[in-house]
């Protein structure tokens, strides 16, 4: 199944998923196994494996949400400036 931009989650949904990942971090620190964490948090073992790898590499920041991939990286002012130069160049 394909999802719309942002993986089909609202901001609230992304926040809820981030809370799950942070609960997983607490369990990593307590030495729990991936299988136990996956069952307790009702997620796949594969997700827990990925989160643990990110946690090892970058700490807690590694599992934090990076936001929706569909949101513009430019500010409104930058977009307006670019749009203005586009109409002039045409």
């Amino acid at each position: 199944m394909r999802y719309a931009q942002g993986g089909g989650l609202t901001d609230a949904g992304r926040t809820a998923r981030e809370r799950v990942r942070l609960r997983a971090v607490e369990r990593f620190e307590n030495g729990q196994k991936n299988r136990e964490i996956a069952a307790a948090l009702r997620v796949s073992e594969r997700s827990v494996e990925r989160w643990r790898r990110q946690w090892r590499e970058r700490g807690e920041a590694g599992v934090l949400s990076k936001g929706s991939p569909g949101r513009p990286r430019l500010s409104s002012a930058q977009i307006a400036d670019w749009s203005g130069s586009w109409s002039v160049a045409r």
Side-chain angles (χ1 to χ4, degrees), residues 8-28:
L9 291 176
T10 62
D11 286 337
R14 277 187 293 280
T15 300
R17 293 299 294 170
E18 187 168 80
R19 280 194 303 267
V20 171
R21 291 191 299 271
L22 291 174
R23 280 188 272 170
V25 166
E26 292 172 3
R27 292 167 183 267
F28 298 155

Side-chain angles (χ1 to χ4, degrees), residues 16-72:
R17 293 299 294 170
E18 187 168 80
R19 280 194 303 267
V20 171
R21 291 191 299 271
L22 291 174
R23 280 188 272 170
V25 166
E26 292 172 3
R27 292 167 183 267
F28 298 155
E29 291 169 344
N30 290 331
Q32 286 187 315
K33 297 183 186 298
N34 290 350
R35 182 171 300 198
E36 296 168 357
I37 296 170
L41 300 179
R42 300 178 65 192
V43 297
S44 71
E45 272 189 73
R46 182 76 174 131
S47 290
V48 176
E49 290 168 4
R50 188 176 61 250
W51 299 339
R52 188 181 294 267
R53 185 177 59 250
Q54 292 167 338
W55 173 69
R56 279 188 192 135
E57 292 172 0
R58 295 184 299 269
E60 190 174 297
V63 299
L64 295 178
S65 175
K66 289 146 185 88
S68 170
R71 293 194 177 148

